[in-house]
Amino acid sequence: MRKLLIALVVLAAPVAAEDKPVPSPIEIVAAAPKGDWVAIAPTDLLVMDLAPDSKGKPRRVVIQLMPAPFSQGWIGNIRKLAAARWWDGLSINRVQDNYVVQWGDGEAEDKAKAKPLPERLTRVPETDYVATYGELNIKEVPPETGLYLSPIGGGPARFFASRETVQSDLYAPIAIFHKGWPAALMRDHETRVLKTLIWPVHCYGMIGVGRDMPPDTGSGAELYAVIGHAPRHLDRNIALVGRVIEGIEHLSSLPRGTGALGFYESAEERTAIQSIRLASDLPGDKPLPAYEYLSTESVSFAAYAEARANRRDAFFIRPAGGADICNIPVPVRRVN
Amino acid sequence: MRKLLIALVVLAAPVAAEDKPVPSPIEIVAAAPKGDWVAIAPTDLLVMDLAPDSKGKPRRVVIQLMPAPFSQGWIGNIRKLAAARWWDGLSINRVQDNYVVQWGDGEAEDKAKAKPLPERLTRVPETDYVATYGELNIKEVPPETGLYLSPIGGGPARFFASRETVQSDLYAPIAIFHKGWPAALMRDHETRVLKTLIWPVHCYGMIGVGRDMPPDTGSGAELYAVIGHAPRHLDRNIALVGRVIEGIEHLSSLPRGTGALGFYESAEERTAIQSIRLASDLPGDKPLPAYEYLSTESVSFAAYAEARANRRDAFFIRPAGGADICNIPVPVRRVN
């Protein structure tokens, strides 16, 4: 019951404090200074061109790959697969509503028809589903700085010494934005060492590595994008490698498959992949724009996250007082 | 720091306790006895028939309307609109990725072209965004009963005296499944009375009432369905009236609108609505099957919710130890 009462006080506070209109999350992002934005290297962008739609319109999906310490074994494989043009001519084979879109070799189950994988792909152990964050160093930050969040489930607002924004979470002890990515943290219990583990989390638009039952069987050749409510139960059970930063509508609006798990029942239903390339390997006549993400260690991002959790722009009459990490998407923009 | 350590113990427990395979959430639902299922009355089902797709296939969306104490003012209007055949010939006008699909009168903004609403629709006050739950009566239930959840953010597992399953929440003091619906609870702070407020929450597939800026301007004529990550910040800011129980793929796979907020930029892009009727008013030659939902007060539902929060079926190597209420969709099935 104590928890309930504390949460009520937090809930009531923002309403009472509001006398004048405050900027919306979008306005906060629009006002962020140039220095709060981080360029995404073309070597970290994977560009998937699907066959044009029924009206002949091109369908390009742009994916940002994760930085270290996350999932670099699988990402290395993905770079090799793209360099080998392995996905060219393959297809999207599965679209399950409120869950995932999956692509790769539609004939992978049939050894006689399966497309051979490039040589020297790495077999990545399941231990790599999590990374080491380092020593946990939480300090309290006074509310006057504005650099804080007041999530309902999480007690007082806190910042990491690194200025990374943290969030209450229901799937892990704490959620955090780390190097531009939504992630979760916990102490490493098994080793009995005060090491902190960090792993990326399954939000809308995230890209993961399909696998068979043994947890080290995902190579990166079978990829999926989340197109529904965050399936956070998959965290630490399957590898995440990136996120869609443009063109997700070309995946999320595809017809749903009617077979088990949303697989298409016939090859005719599949959408063909023309090519998947790193942006740095695209031919010169098809340039990709430059992209930036809002630094998750910036003051602008902290204000944006706070505003997402406490909507006070004109439409809203009751700010929630909290938000889950997947309801605070990291802003990404085209630069040119 | 205390919270972090407690959560770790909860996380570690299910793994250590597992020696044999346990049923998956789907298997638990499949094994639920007949008595745990509740029939949905045809008078509570709204049937939307869209124009056939490009291959001539019918597109039917079945919506379950909420029971009291939720949103009955708007639902009364929706019954009148359906009886008046008001939506017939109107259209889906907005599809915003990872957010909502919205339908109604595409010309509503233009007074000269707008379709007149039926007479005697009720203007519902914003106070009706929340309902009264009654006296809060939490009691501890011993874990041995199996009737409990161990959400990470929420401390010890608890049940309401009514046997309703509760969940930790980040947007409200507590989340609860009430009469088959995902909802949230808080003490009524403003009246200083120990009354408890309850309101339905925005999960994937939920149906809401579009409105203009004043919070009492939604009649029920403009409806939306959630097709992305749960936009829980809308809770208590806009009315929810139901959920899609079949055919959501006919909404979620529609082309995204390219105008502001995902509105279609031309009338040609809109999808036509052939008719919207209560199932009880459908012509006899187009019968609807009967539907049931799994009682959220049943032992089966509690076990299902627990299994969703602690996945131990074969694919999973690390159960999360928690789940948000929108990641525990209430099971609905066709009976015939």
Side-chain angles (χ1 to χ4, degrees):
Chain A
M1 197 53 63
R2 200 176 70 84
K3 180 170 174 287
L4 194 62
L5 293 173
I6 291 171
L8 280 172
V9 172
V10 174
L11 245 190
V15 183
E18 270 332 297
D19 292 313
K20 51 181 180 178
V22 293
S24 70
I26 288 176
E27 289 165 338
I28 290 167
V29 172
K34 175 73 184 161
D36 284 354
W37 293 88
V38 182
I40 303 174
T43 47
D44 289 335
L45 290 174
L46 199 63
V47 181
M48 174 162 65
D49 285 320
L50 301 175
D53 72 11
S54 60
K55 290 172 185 159
K57 276 193 190 166
R59 290 187 280 189
R60 171 166 280 189
V61 180
V62 182
I63 293 164
Q64 180 188 7
L65 298 171
M66 291 180 180
F70 300 125
S71 306
Q72 294 302 298
W74 295 282
I75 291 170
N77 285 347
I78 288 167
R79 294 180 189 283
K80 288 177 195 163
L81 287 156
R85 307 187 171 196
W86 187 77
W87 284 289
D88 298 14
L90 295 179
S91 56
I92 291 172
N93 306 311
R94 174 189 184 193
V95 184
Q96 185 171 1
D97 196 70
N98 191 21
Y99 203 43
V100 297
V101 171
Q102 187 175 323
W103 59 92
D105 182 3
E107 308 300 333
E109 300 299 312
D110 181 342
K111 282 191 181 174
K113 294 187 189 171
K115 183 168 183 174
L117 288 167
E119 291 184 4
R120 287 188 296 175
L121 293 186
T122 302
R123 192 167 184 104
V124 191
E126 69 177 87
T127 46
D128 285 10
Y129 290 157
V130 297
T132 301
Y133 179 78
E135 195 54 35
L136 204 57
N137 185 11
I138 292 172
K139 62 176 181 183
E140 305 290 329
V141 171
E144 305 83 69
T145 62
L147 292 175
Y148 74 107
L149 297 174
S150 318
I152 281 202
R158 292 180 298 195
F159 247 67
F160 276 71
S162 64
R163 301 181 79 87
E164 289 177 319
T165 299
V166 299
Q167 290 288 122
S168 289
D169 196 38
L170 298 175
Y171 295 84
I174 202 162
I176 184 171
F177 290 96
H178 185 60
K179 297 186 178 178
W181 295 82
L185 280 182
M186 68 182 288
R187 286 285 182 92
D188 186 347
H189 189 65
E190 288 167 22
T191 63
R192 300 182 180 278
V193 175
L194 285 183
K195 194 171 67 174
T196 302
L197 301 178
I198 187 166
W199 60 93
V201 298
H202 277 81
C203 296
Y204 190 91
M206 295 287 278
I207 302 290
V209 172
R211 67 161 166 91
D212 295 325
M213 282 294 177
D216 64 349
T217 51
S219 67
E222 285 286 323
L223 294 175
Y224 64 87
V226 173
I227 57 155
H229 186 72
R232 295 282 312 277
H233 50 286
L234 296 175
D235 296 353
R236 299 188 302 147
N237 284 289
I238 194 163
L240 286 168
V241 293
R243 66 178 159 218
V244 177
I245 61 167
E246 199 171 279
I248 193 162
E249 67 275 16
H250 302 309
L251 302 175
S252 56
S253 67
L254 288 172
R256 276 49 182 159
T258 50
L261 303 176
F263 278 94
Y264 290 123
E265 295 186 87
S266 66
E268 293 69 41
E269 296 171 274
R270 297 173 184 161
T271 299
I273 296 169
Q274 289 186 333
S275 69
I276 298 184
R277 296 279 185 285
L278 287 181
S280 48
D281 291 336
L282 284 178
D285 60 334
K286 280 194 197 175
L288 196 73
Y291 296 89
E292 294 174 338
Y293 69 89
L294 186 61
S295 167
T296 50
E297 297 178 35
S298 67
V299 173
S300 300
F301 185 84
Y304 159 77
E306 196 276 341
R308 288 284 303 179
N310 299 283
R311 294 295 294 264
R312 290 164 299 234
D313 31 324
F315 184 84
F316 291 86
I317 56 175
R318 292 192 188 94
D324 67 278
I325 193 163
C326 291
N327 203 7
I328 306 174
V330 175
V332 175
R333 68 178 186 186
R334 278 187 179 212
V335 184
N336 49 18
Chain B
M1 195 53 64
R2 201 176 68 83
K3 178 169 175 291
L4 195 60
L5 293 173
I6 290 170
L8 279 173
V9 173
V10 174
L11 245 189
V15 182
E18 271 332 299
D19 291 314
K20 50 181 181 179
V22 293
S24 70
I26 288 176
E27 288 165 341
I28 290 168
V29 172
K34 175 74 184 161
D36 284 354
W37 293 88
V38 182
I40 304 174
T43 47
D44 288 336
L45 289 174
L46 198 64
V47 181
M48 173 162 67
D49 285 320
L50 301 175
D53 72 11
S54 60
K55 291 172 186 161
K57 278 195 190 161
R59 290 187 280 189
R60 171 166 281 189
V61 180
V62 182
I63 294 164
Q64 179 188 7
L65 298 171
M66 290 180 181
F70 299 125
S71 306
Q72 295 300 301
W74 295 282
I75 290 169
N77 285 347
I78 288 167
R79 294 180 190 283
K80 288 176 194 164
L81 287 155
R85 307 187 171 197
W86 186 78
W87 284 290
D88 298 14
L90 295 178
S91 56
I92 291 172
N93 306 311
R94 174 190 184 192
V95 184
Q96 185 171 0
D97 196 70
N98 190 22
Y99 203 44
V100 296
V101 171
Q102 187 176 324
W103 58 94
D105 183 3
E107 308 300 333
E109 299 299 312
D110 181 342
K111 282 191 181 171
K113 293 188 191 170
K115 183 169 183 172
L117 288 167
E119 291 185 2
R120 289 187 296 175
L121 293 186
T122 302
R123 193 167 183 104
V124 191
E126 70 177 85
T127 47
D128 285 9
Y129 289 157
V130 297
T132 301
Y133 179 79
E135 195 55 34
L136 203 57
N137 184 11
I138 292 173
K139 63 176 181 184
E140 305 291 328
V141 171
E144 303 83 68
T145 63
L147 293 173
Y148 74 107
L149 297 174
S150 320
I152 282 206
R158 291 179 299 195
F159 248 68
F160 277 71
S162 64
R163 300 180 77 89
E164 288 177 317
T165 299
V166 300
Q167 290 288 122
S168 289
D169 196 39
L170 297 175
Y171 295 84
I174 203 161
I176 185 170
F177 290 96
H178 185 59
K179 297 186 179 179
W181 294 83
L185 281 181
M186 67 182 287
R187 287 287 181 91
D188 187 347
H189 189 66
E190 287 167 23
T191 63
R192 299 182 180 279
V193 175
L194 284 186
K195 195 170 67 174
T196 302
L197 301 178
I198 188 166
W199 59 93
V201 298
H202 277 82
C203 295
Y204 190 91
M206 294 287 278
I207 303 290
V209 172
R211 67 163 168 91
D212 295 327
M213 282 294 176
D216 65 349
T217 52
S219 67
E222 285 286 324
L223 294 175
Y224 64 87
V226 173
I227 57 155
H229 185 72
R232 295 281 313 275
H233 50 285
L234 296 175
D235 296 353
R236 300 188 299 149
N237 285 288
I238 193 162
L240 286 169
V241 293
R243 65 177 159 218
V244 177
I245 61 167
E246 198 172 280
I248 193 162
E249 67 275 16
H250 302 309
L251 303 175
S252 56
S253 67
L254 289 172
R256 276 50 183 159
T258 50
L261 303 176
F263 279 94
Y264 290 124
E265 295 186 86
S266 66
E268 292 69 41
E269 296 172 274
R270 297 173 184 161
T271 298
I273 297 169
Q274 289 186 335
S275 70
I276 297 185
R277 297 279 185 283
L278 287 181
S280 48
D281 293 337
L282 283 178
D285 61 333
K286 280 193 198 176
L288 197 71
Y291 296 89
E292 295 174 337
Y293 69 89
L294 187 62
S295 167
T296 50
E297 297 178 34
S298 68
V299 173
S300 300
F301 185 84
Y304 160 77
E306 196 276 339
R308 289 284 302 179
N310 298 285
R311 293 295 293 263
R312 289 165 300 233
D313 30 324
F315 184 83
F316 290 86
I317 55 174
R318 292 193 187 94
D324 67 279
I325 193 164
C326 291
N327 204 6
I328 305 174
V330 176
V332 175
R333 68 179 186 185
R334 278 188 180 212
V335 184
N336 49 17

